[in-house]
Amino acid sequence: MAMTRRTAGDYLLEKGIVTREQLEEARRIQQSTGKDYLRVLIDQTIVSERDAYEARAYELGMPFVDLDRVQPDPSAVNVVKEHIARRYNVIPVKKEGNILYLAMADPSNVMAIEDVRVNSRCVVRPVIAAPGAIEDAIRKAYGGSAVATDGATPATTEGGAPVRQQDFKGSVMADVAVYGVREEMEEDEKAVLREVEEGPIVRVADMIIRQAINERASDIHVEPQARNLRIRFRIDGVLHEILTLPKYVQAPLISRYKIMADMNIAEKRLPQDGRIPIRHQNKEYDLRVSTIPTPHGEKIVMRILDKSSVLLGLNKLGFTPETQARLEELIMQPQGMILSTGPTGSGKTTTQYSILHKLNSVEKNILTIEDPIEYQLPGISQVQVNRKAGLTFANALRAFLRQDPDIIMVGEMRDLETAEVAIEAALTGHLVLSTLHTNDAPSAVIRLIDMGVEPYLIAATVTGVLAQRLARRVCQHCKEPREIRAADLRAFGFQVEDPDQVVTIWEGVGCEECRYRGYSGRIGIFELMVVNDEIAELIVRRAPLADIKEAAKANGMKELREDGLIKVLEGITTPDEVRRVVFTAGHY
């Protein structure tokens, strides 16, 4: 029979710091609110932060250091840079040979330990200390005030109070540790159902989602590995590893998300899709959830959809004044087709919804067919594709034509049938918005022809094509000027007048506001092709793509790279970032 593991609560009882009634009440509050019972006792001033973390150290079988009495050794402090200590709220206390003893509130934060190991080139031995005492020790050791946040947008609790990144990880790992206090997890379905309703797993699942929203992540990746479970967030278009959880958390955590998304938790061999509605800081979010089977278990990706983000004005998306004026002129036309192109995740949906938001009025009947409906817009009739019921893009479009529409949005033109009905709608006096997957604006014409659309129909209906990408913005808090050779920007279309000419650009050097990435937020890079008579004639004649592109440039189109160059010279983004999102093999 396995020995029962002693908890922090047991330690506090034995020391006479709390009564059994106080402990039971704190645990009842934990069950009803999800708040850690030690934090409840601290907030109620029943237990000091020092006693609570000493109890936690006892529970985990780790050393505890009282930083109010023990002063960190300067020789230890000197081997860890200040920004590393502040980022993770850790402080070296002693160095013995190549061993560095690191005081931290969350000893399971492997990211902190790894960063300190690389930074100090020492073997790191974690010891536990109270987080407030660590902050005071950092301030005394390095000078200045301890930094409470570690990101561009501070994490917040439900009440709006800031939550440090290390507190997020500490809370998650504390609940994981609580959940892990058992001999072995049962595998039957009923056991899994019981486990996913347990407090620790519910809190872990919730904390991961809320932290992703606080970090402005667009996607959450829950990825089973051979020996652990990896959690990654896509922030500003780039994936970052946030947590590595023990393997035993995998089954209940994934099942918890599947239950939240109204999926079948018993089905693990087939992909599934679902949605999770969530309210966070008085804002409504939808999580679009997708699962796929992998050799190590089901992988879940959750796309975070902020309902308020699509109500941005066109002037906030990154258009130059000239491009925005031309686009607004196009969308005010009573008929025709406007296409948005670009890869997945390039912001096409946000642009389309922003256009609809601008056009939306009581005088206009706006209909959309989407797969799926990502955002629900007031005043607009939105229909979701349902292939099992026989509702396809083409079928819905035919029905739309009998609904007296003014404006129709087609989520994506994927086949000839959909394209033909959309063109029919544009020919009969409707404004049609849709998307395609092409590298640039002129390529949309070639794509439609490849799908089987007659060139004369394209020339008669397509009034404009908007290609776009999303590039990361330079952090405004730590950006610094840097001079580069003008010749390095030649690939962007920069006209070099002098071989020795230099250009000033701006780059983020990294700070706490941007989590030392140098970037914070994203900006659109656009390429707008307006179809005039010359381009329409080239389309009818099936002219080569290069000829259409040259005619579009002569008509005022700025290529993606040129629009990116404008934003580089304005200090909004960097050449490397534009190169990453715009340049592809065989292009430019």
Side-chain angles (χ1 to χ4, degrees), residues 3 98 122 152 227 260-261 290 301 308 322 387 421 451 533:
M3 185 178 294
N98 195 39
C122 293
R227 293 183 175 85
M260 292 172 70
S290 172
V301 175
S308 63
E322 179 186 358
R387 291 183 178 82
V421 181
M451 288 170 62
D533 291 342

Side-chain angles (χ1 to χ4, degrees), residues 363-563:
E363 295 87 9
K364 291 186 173 68
N365 179 21
I366 302 177
L367 304 173
T368 75
I369 174 67
E370 305 167 62
D371 185 21
I373 297 172
E374 294 194 3
Y375 303 93
Q376 294 182 357
L377 300 178
I380 294 177
S381 301
Q382 297 172 267
V383 177
Q384 180 162 316
V385 168
N386 186 343
R387 291 183 178 82
K388 290 182 180 178
L391 180 60
T392 64
F393 280 108
N395 291 344
L397 276 172
R398 290 191 183 92
F400 283 2
L401 295 179
R402 299 189 293 272
Q403 289 282 314
D404 185 32
D406 295 296
I407 300 167
I408 296 172
M409 187 185 88
V410 183
E412 183 182 345
M413 283 201 287
R414 301 178 180 177
D415 51 47
L416 176 59
E417 184 181 15
T418 303
E420 286 179 336
V421 181
I423 284 172
E424 179 187 342
L427 281 172
T428 53
H430 307 94
L431 179 64
V432 178
L433 308 175
S434 191
T435 66
L436 280 174
H437 290 279
T438 63
N439 282 328
D440 55 25
S443 297
V445 172
I446 307 302
R447 172 73 179 123
L448 288 173
I449 292 174
D450 287 344
M451 288 170 62
V453 180
E454 291 294 336
Y456 73 89
L457 291 175
I458 300 172
T461 55
V462 177
T463 56
V465 183
L466 180 69
Q468 66 181 83
R469 301 290 190 276
L470 288 175
R472 290 181 291 176
R473 288 178 179 265
V474 171
C475 175
Q476 298 302 300
H477 295 276
C478 64
K479 70 175 186 178
E480 292 184 357
R482 185 167 76 87
E483 289 188 344
I484 63 171
R485 294 170 58 248
D488 293 341
L489 299 179
R490 200 189 300 272
F492 297 86
F494 188 79
Q495 301 299 318
V496 180
E497 300 171 358
D498 179 350
D500 299 323
Q501 182 181 357
V502 295
V503 175
T504 300
I505 65 170
W506 293 81
E507 292 182 342
V509 296
C511 65
E512 274 128 4
E513 290 295 324
C514 63
R515 296 192 185 281
Y516 299 92
R517 297 173 188 134
Y519 297 99
S520 180
R522 289 191 288 178
I523 187 75
I525 297 176
F526 300 96
E527 174 181 283
L528 178 61
M529 180 180 79
V530 178
V531 179
N532 60 5
D533 291 342
E534 181 186 359
I535 295 174
E537 184 180 344
L538 290 171
I539 294 171
V540 172
R541 292 197 287 108
R542 297 178 183 263
L545 177 61
D547 292 352
I548 297 174
K549 183 177 290 189
E550 286 303 315
K553 291 173 66 177
N555 192 36
M557 180 186 82
K558 282 188 171 62
E559 295 180 86
L560 286 166
R561 59 174 180 164
E562 294 171 323
D563 193 56

Side-chain angles (χ1 to χ4, degrees), residues 318-387:
F319 290 105
T320 62
E322 179 186 358
T323 301
Q324 183 175 334
R326 300 186 82 193
L327 178 61
E328 289 185 353
E329 184 180 348
L330 283 176
I331 65 177
M332 291 304 172
Q333 301 300 314
Q335 63 187 49
M337 184 183 294
I338 301 171
L339 300 173
S340 291
T341 74
T344 301
S346 60
K348 299 189 299 295
T349 300
T350 298
T351 301
Q352 293 269 314
Y353 277 126
S354 296
I355 292 172
L356 288 181
H357 182 62
K358 183 174 182 63
L359 295 174
N360 192 11
S361 69
V362 70
E363 295 87 9
K364 291 186 173 68
N365 179 21
I366 302 177
L367 304 173
T368 75
I369 174 67
E370 305 167 62
D371 185 21
I373 297 172
E374 294 194 3
Y375 303 93
Q376 294 182 357
L377 300 178
I380 294 177
S381 301
Q382 297 172 267
V383 177
Q384 180 162 316
V385 168
N386 186 343
R387 291 183 178 82

Side-chain angles (χ1 to χ4, degrees), residues 82 86 135-147:
E82 178 182 354
R86 291 190 187 279
E135 288 182 7
D136 291 339
I138 290 172
R139 185 169 60 252
K140 292 173 186 175
Y142 295 101
S145 59
V147 178

Side-chain angles (χ1 to χ4, degrees), residues 44-116:
Q44 292 180 348
T45 67
I46 296 171
V47 175
S48 69
E49 193 176 63
R50 179 205 176 280
D51 287 338
Y53 278 84
E54 185 173 15
R56 184 69 81 195
Y58 168 83
E59 180 181 84
L60 298 176
M62 297 185 66
F64 175 81
V65 59
D66 185 353
L67 291 174
D68 292 331
R69 298 181 180 180
V70 177
Q71 185 174 353
D73 187 342
S75 65
V77 172
N78 288 339
V79 301
V80 176
K81 292 180 181 177
E82 178 182 354
H83 75 267
I84 296 288
R86 291 190 187 279
R87 182 192 302 183
Y88 296 108
N89 199 41
V90 298
I91 183 83
V93 291
K94 186 171 64 171
K95 186 172 184 288
E96 293 180 349
N98 195 39
I99 298 175
L100 185 71
Y101 292 89
L102 185 71
M104 53 198 309
D106 172 20
S108 58
N109 188 343
V110 293
M111 293 177 66
I113 294 171
E114 180 64 10
D115 269 12
V116 171

